[in-house]
């Protein structure tokens, strides 16, 4: 997250806290954090970790995605659909892998359901990505494909040469570079 997004996260924490009629001193013991640290989060001078965000979101009874969502509310939706389709999975396939209903996955992809942290964890585990993948702003992240292409071109290596060295097909390298798939570890 960029520094500006810390301010946005802090503002959202404060907004939800106040909507629930809680003071910082009341919220602090609920999330096992100090009053001063929570105050710094709300002011945007401290960076919250994902576990910290999860504790705060649970105490405020909101999905973590509500706290970290940027102005593009459909970041998670877009990324979920992108990676699911890149892995050639149907919604039903992903439902079976994740234990989340197909209806919920479809609603998340349509942006009508904002997943909670547990749902994001199940989706991330099922798709072999981190939760951060879903939560980062699209514009803030340079894709793996873009980075791969840049490094390959800087080294003067062709797609075919790289594929040969990596023991994969040139088609897979092209798909990765075009962000049509994410390689397994």
């Amino acid at each position: 997250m960029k520094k500006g997004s810390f301010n946005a996260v802090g503002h959202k924490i404060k907004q939800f806290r106040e909507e629930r009629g809680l003071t910082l001193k009341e919220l602090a013991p609920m999330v096992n954090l100090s009053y001063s640290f929570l105050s710094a989060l709300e002011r945007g001078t401290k960076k919250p970790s994902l576990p910290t965000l999860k504790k705060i979101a649970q105490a405020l009874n909101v999905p973590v995605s509500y706290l970290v969502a940027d102005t593009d509310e459909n970041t998670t939706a877009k990324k979920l659909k992108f990676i699911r389709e890149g892995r050639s999975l149907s919604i039903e396939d992903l439902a079976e892998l994740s234990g989340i209903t197909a209806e919920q996955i479809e609603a998340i992809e349509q942006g009508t359901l904002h997943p909670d942290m547990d749902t994001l964890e199940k989706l991330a585990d099922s798709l072999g990505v981190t939760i951060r993948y879903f939560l980062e702003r699209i514009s803030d992240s340079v894709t793996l494909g873009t980075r791969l292409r840049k490094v390959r071109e800087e080294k003067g290596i062709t797609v075919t040469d790289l594929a040969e060295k990596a023991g994969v097909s040139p088609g897979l390298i092209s798909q990765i570079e075009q962000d049509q798939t994410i390689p397994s570890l």
Side-chain angles (χ1 to χ4, degrees), residues 66-113:
Y66 280 21
L67 299 178
V68 297
D70 58 17
T71 54
D72 179 2
E73 294 292 327
N74 292 319
T75 296
T76 300
K78 290 175 186 174
K79 287 184 172 186
L80 177 58
K81 186 173 183 176
F82 170 78
I83 194 164
R84 179 184 59 76
E85 290 177 345
R87 302 266 166 95
S88 300
L89 294 171
S90 68
I91 289 176
E92 291 74 21
D93 293 338
L94 183 54
E96 188 176 321
L97 288 171
S98 66
I100 298 167
T101 68
E103 293 78 18
Q104 286 177 304
I105 294 170
E106 188 172 5
I108 294 167
E109 287 188 0
Q110 291 172 352
T112 58
L113 175 65

Side-chain angles (χ1 to χ4, degrees), residues 20-147:
R20 279 136 183 86
L22 294 170
T23 65
L24 281 171
K25 288 184 180 182
E26 292 170 330
L27 180 60
M30 293 171 67
V31 294
N32 199 25
L33 296 170
S34 71
Y35 162 85
S36 60
F37 183 75
L38 276 175
S39 177
L41 286 178
E42 287 189 359
R43 290 190 320 268
T45 60
K46 293 281 185 182
K47 176 183 175 181
S49 66
L50 281 175
T52 297
L53 281 173
K54 184 177 180 181
K55 283 195 274 187
I56 293 169
Q58 286 174 338
L60 297 174
N61 197 27
V62 296
V64 172
S65 60
Y66 280 21
L67 299 178
V68 297
D70 58 17
T71 54
D72 179 2
E73 294 292 327
N74 292 319
T75 296
T76 300
K78 290 175 186 174
K79 287 184 172 186
L80 177 58
K81 186 173 183 176
F82 170 78
I83 194 164
R84 179 184 59 76
E85 290 177 345
R87 302 266 166 95
S88 300
L89 294 171
S90 68
I91 289 176
E92 291 74 21
D93 293 338
L94 183 54
E96 188 176 321
L97 288 171
S98 66
I100 298 167
T101 68
E103 293 78 18
Q104 286 177 304
I105 294 170
E106 188 172 5
I108 294 167
E109 287 188 0
Q110 291 172 352
T112 58
L113 175 65
H114 297 283
D116 60 19
M117 194 62 160
D118 290 333
T119 301
L120 282 178
E121 286 180 54
K122 289 177 184 177
L123 290 169
D125 287 345
S126 299
L127 294 166
V129 297
T130 64
I131 294 170
R132 189 172 293 273
Y133 168 80
F134 290 119
L135 300 177
E136 286 181 333
R137 291 173 48 160
I138 292 173
S139 60
D140 287 351
S141 58
V142 177
T143 66
L144 174 64
T146 301
R147 291 185 296 207

